[in-house]
Amino acid sequence: MGTPVVAKENVYFPTGGSGIVMLTDDAEKQQAAWDYIAFVTGPVGQKIIVENTGYAPANKIVLDDESYLGAYYETNPNAKVGHAQVAAHAGPWYAYPGAEGVAVTDLIAAALVELTEGAEVKPTIDDLAETLRLQLGMK
């Protein structure tokens, strides 16, 4: 077994999971969607989400200002520790660019399954790299 490596600074883990998108060209619907996005990602919306799901908040204000989740964290002290760690160490959520970004992630996942099922490593990785270059418009 290897020895753990302790990073001294600038440590973060890439985030993933929740996301919000707006899928309309209609100005009135865009405004309604924006109003909802602003609410649900704001401290009041995040308070509601945390209290009902225990999910880590996406807005650090609810961690810093006890008027939002102070009572919740009093009865759920472990949640506060976990949520503070997420806030301190969550980093950017990177995605592959362009219309094929999601497909690229799926191709990588499929190749990993092939490898775990015994596929030859070098040809599988070489084929994957070539496919990804084409999908991402790098060729």
Side-chain angles (χ1 to χ4, degrees):
M1 185 175 285
T3 304
V5 175
V6 178
K8 307 259 188 269
E9 58 187 62
N10 298 327
V11 176
Y12 74 88
F13 299 98
T15 58
S18 298
I20 298 175
V21 294
M22 183 185 310
L23 302 173
T24 183
D25 292 328
D26 180 272
E28 189 175 326
K29 289 179 181 179
Q30 284 178 342
Q31 185 60 54
W34 176 250
D35 291 344
Y36 173 75
I37 291 168
F39 171 77
V40 79
T41 60
V44 173
Q46 290 296 292
K47 177 182 185 292
I48 293 168
I49 290 170
V50 171
E51 288 176 337
N52 286 282
T53 67
Y55 200 78
N59 188 319
K60 194 169 177 294
I61 292 171
V62 298
L63 288 169
D64 296 339
D65 184 340
E66 289 189 9
S67 69
Y68 291 104
L69 290 172
Y72 176 83
Y73 288 139
E74 258 185 51
T75 58
N76 300 281
N78 289 338
K80 183 171 186 175
V81 172
H83 294 171
Q85 289 174 344
V86 169
H89 299 289
W93 178 8
Y94 296 104
Y96 295 98
E100 298 299 317
V102 173
V104 164
T105 301
D106 291 342
L107 290 168
I108 293 169
L112 290 172
V113 169
E114 290 175 28
L115 291 169
T116 60
E117 292 177 345
E120 291 292 321
V121 174
K122 183 153 178 36
T124 302
I125 296 301
D126 288 347
D127 289 346
L128 175 64
E130 184 65 18
T131 301
L132 297 184
R133 285 186 198 100
L134 291 169
Q135 291 287 109
L136 293 171
M138 297 170 72
K139 271 196 127 184

